[in-house]
Amino acid sequence: GIFEFLSPGYLKSGLKPSEISKTVGEYITDRRIKKAKTLLAGGYSVCETAAAVGICNLGYFSRLFKKQTQMTPAAYKKLCKK
């Protein structure tokens, strides 16, 4: 993938101090969930959102989203509609 030729030090060089303590995987997950929240609030379906952030397994996306936000993607989408 794109990251196989980049060292962790190089990847962390452009990050904020609060992001440096995260692993590259944690950083990518945080970015995906942040983007997913924006897409869900913007009217994308849960399936479209998962695909847009690069996660093809809907069950995995839902578990990951819930782990990060303490709510399911569908519940977050519903909350944003109010």
Side-chain angles (χ1 to χ4, degrees), residues 37-66:
K37 289 167 82 174
T38 301
L39 295 173
L40 290 167
Y44 278 63
S45 72
V46 174
C47 188
E48 291 169 328
T49 300
V53 299
I55 300 174
C56 6
N57 183 312
L58 192 55
Y60 175 69
F61 171 72
S62 294
R63 285 190 305 274
L64 189 63
F65 190 93
K66 186 170 184 177

Side-chain angles (χ1 to χ4, degrees), residues 15-71:
L15 302 178
K16 300 173 192 167
S18 62
E19 297 170 328
I20 291 175
S21 63
K22 297 176 184 176
T23 66
V24 173
E26 290 167 339
Y27 175 76
I28 292 169
T29 296
D30 287 351
R31 297 287 299 208
R32 282 178 163 167
I33 298 303
K34 183 177 180 180
K35 179 66 174 177
K37 289 167 82 174
T38 301
L39 295 173
L40 290 167
Y44 278 63
S45 72
V46 174
C47 188
E48 291 169 328
T49 300
V53 299
I55 300 174
C56 6
N57 183 312
L58 192 55
Y60 175 69
F61 171 72
S62 294
R63 285 190 305 274
L64 189 63
F65 190 93
K66 186 170 184 177
K67 182 179 177 184
Q68 295 287 319
T69 66
Q70 285 70 53
M71 62 176 54

